[in-house]
Amino acid sequence: MFAGYYKKTREERLAILREYAGLTDEELAALQAEGALPFETANHMIENMIGTFQVPLGLGLNMVMNGKEYAVPMATEEPSVIAAMSSASKLIARSGGMVATSSGRLMTGQIAVYGVPDFERAKMAIAEQQATLIDAANAAYPSLIKRGGGAREIVVREIETAQEKLLVVHLYVETREAMGANMINTMVEALAPEIERLTSGTAEMKILSNLTDMATATATCTIPANLLLSKNMGGEEVRDRIVRAFAFSDADIYRAATHNKGIMNGVDAILLAFGNDVRSISAAAHAYAAKDGRYRPMSSWAVNGAGDLVGELTLPMPVATVGGSIAISPLATLAQKIAKVENAEELAMLAVSVGLAQNLAALKALVTEGIQRGHMSLQAKSTAISAGATGAEIDMVAEKMLAAGQINLSFAKEIIKQNGGT
Ligand code: NDP
């Protein structure tokens, strides 16, 4: 039924799908609703395109980073993420705001060379030819030089696999405003024949590494304990509980995974809104969290000499303001304008700052009132809509569920029925 699907027009694809899945007129209409991303463009972005998928886009507010205020576009389907980011950012702004730095932006390419007869000779040959190899890499992508970027350094590693020892050549490239995956892949493929000649091995694999540890951004915040005061807990107690929560995640991988998921709630949301490759950034962040040989929390929380709570987050941030499909995605370019972000380095620092604010919000809620209270008010609305509530009915059903402490589909349906709905 799907033979040659990729060659069909969108209308033909929808007709086939309609028959295959037994779609109703209403379901078909959902696929036919065009959003900000034109079908024509989307059809050139992926294969077998049938429609565009929408996620709510909101503004994370109150973020102050390096003295500049930001309204941060965030795309997420999860309730509470934006509210949490905005409330933690407000607290951090009252404490002087986020301080963010960047390590610079060198992306990494890898060439894996198998069957090298003499490792020491191979390493020496590459070291001697470093300048020529860098020139060859640059010759494969000359426009990057014109933009002030280009290949910068070659480092050789030895890796012991379960089967053999191999030589891995790392090429570090300054990719300017681009993430650089295609740029780097072009360069490492171009270098491979010369690397084979110098090492007498076979370059079986040439691709970028998503662990971009030469392109990191760091955010820190310092919050006086008295500002952490919550309804039924003193600020110092909240501070100490947050530090204990960090220690828990540092000692337990089950907790670390959730700690880090909370950080990525914010990081993914901002970078999805900016049209970035969130899979690449997630891969980088989780690999970096395990760089010590053990999966650990991405952020750290401690108390300084003055008794303030100090949070810090460093993540690899292979973000971009150009390249991929950013320029053709109308909302991605709009995000840059709304956030007033001028370059990829600023975006990297902003994303890490959002991640740290998100982390603070989650930890503070967890160690005080628990995460459910804030979560559930928005969750109640989604549940009410899922149960069929519309218009003013949504808030009414949500409030009744919250008051009863019962947020589930069957209760929502019961409320709608009691109020004369279907
Ligand atoms: P592109 O291949 O789109 O290259 C960047 C483009 O941006 C180039 O055409 C470049 O123009 C242009 N450009 C304009 N201004 C600038 C500037 N100031 N600095 C740099 N470039 C500029 O994207 P990338 O190489 O960044 O690759 C990213 C894409 O690769 C993403 O879509 C990603 O999903 C995908 N990808 C990811 C992989 C992974 O993560 N493992 C693997 C493979 C692909 P010019 O050519 O004139 O220099």
Side-chain angles (χ1 to χ4, degrees), residues 104-347:
R105 286 169 44 84
L106 284 183
M107 305 298 171
T108 309
Q110 290 193 301
I111 305 174
V113 196
Y114 291 80
V116 174
D118 184 334
F119 277 74
E120 287 317 308
R121 252 177 86 169
K123 278 157 80 174
M124 213 172 325
I126 292 173
E128 278 167 7
Q129 294 301 314
Q130 165 112 223
T132 322
L133 289 167
I134 285 179
D135 286 348
N138 285 328
Y141 211 104
S143 58
L144 191 54
I145 301 284
K146 289 197 203 110
R147 299 187 191 283
R152 294 285 182 256
E153 198 186 345
I154 288 176
V155 169
V156 184
R157 302 166 62 220
E158 286 177 36
I159 298 287
E160 202 76 62
T161 75
Q163 292 176 359
E164 68 225 289
K165 191 158 95 167
L166 58 132
L167 200 79
V168 179
V169 178
H170 275 203
L171 175 72
Y172 295 110
V173 184
E174 197 175 329
T175 57
R176 305 302 287 170
E177 288 302 298
M179 170 211 175
N182 292 320
M183 292 172 163
I184 286 187
N185 293 344
T186 306
M187 286 184 174
V188 287
E189 284 190 8
L191 272 194
E194 185 56 11
I195 294 287
E196 287 188 335
R197 198 185 65 77
L198 291 171
T199 59
S200 304
T202 311
E204 279 185 27
M205 188 178 298
K206 319 106 184 140
I207 187 163
L208 89 156
S209 165
N210 281 106
L211 176 53
T212 56
D213 56 0
M214 305 277 275
T216 62
T218 299
T220 55
C221 60
T222 305
I223 306 160
N226 62 315
L227 292 185
L228 291 164
L229 182 83
S230 86
K231 260 185 217 136
N232 46 12
M233 211 178 285
E236 288 183 1
E237 175 65 13
V238 176
R239 175 199 67 193
D240 294 346
R241 285 182 176 215
I242 288 175
V243 175
R244 277 207 294 276
F246 159 67
F248 173 25
S249 57
D250 200 26
D252 179 31
I253 193 169
Y254 287 90
R255 174 59 210 147
T258 318
H259 180 100
N260 291 344
K261 190 273 181 183
I263 291 172
M264 298 312 284
N265 273 345
V267 173
D268 284 351
I270 168 174
L271 294 174
L272 189 60
F274 276 76
N276 270 243
D277 182 341
V278 287
R279 298 152 316 274
S280 133
I281 289 134
S282 287
H286 291 286
Y288 195 71
K291 68 182 185 311
D292 304 335
R294 177 167 78 81
Y295 187 77
R296 298 185 56 200
M298 293 168 179
S299 63
S300 67
W301 293 93
V303 181
N304 69 10
D308 307 325
L309 177 69
V310 182
E312 183 170 317
L313 174 63
T314 298
L315 287 178
M317 272 291 141
V319 300
T321 58
V322 301
S325 54
I326 293 171
I328 55 173
S329 165
L331 291 181
T333 41
L334 194 57
Q336 294 177 9
K337 188 170 179 184
I338 293 170
K340 301 185 180 157
V341 159
E342 280 167 21
N343 54 45
E345 197 160 47
E346 187 180 359
L347 176 58

Side-chain angles (χ1 to χ4, degrees), residues 76-86 265 358 361 371-379:
T76 181
E77 88 299 346
E78 185 171 341
S80 304
V81 167
I82 292 177
M85 179 277 184
S86 304
N265 273 345
Q358 207 75 56
I371 205 86
Q372 282 306 76
R373 210 184 71 87
H375 250 266
M376 283 335 248
S377 57
L378 278 172
Q379 191 60 46

Side-chain angles (χ1 to χ4, degrees), residues 14-69:
L14 287 180
I16 293 167
L17 182 64
R18 175 174 213 173
E19 201 187 325
Y20 172 79
L23 299 186
T24 63
D25 287 348
E26 210 178 20
E27 285 161 347
L28 199 65
L31 287 171
Q32 280 167 332
E34 196 163 13
L37 178 64
F39 285 146
E40 170 69 18
T41 311
N43 204 21
H44 293 295
M45 287 168 73
I46 62 159
E47 309 75 32
N48 295 344
M49 197 280 284
I50 54 169
T52 52
F53 189 91
Q54 293 173 30
V55 188
L57 178 68
L59 274 189
L61 297 174
N62 310 318
M63 172 58 74
V64 174
M65 180 187 84
N66 295 341
K68 178 172 165 184
E69 258 182 62

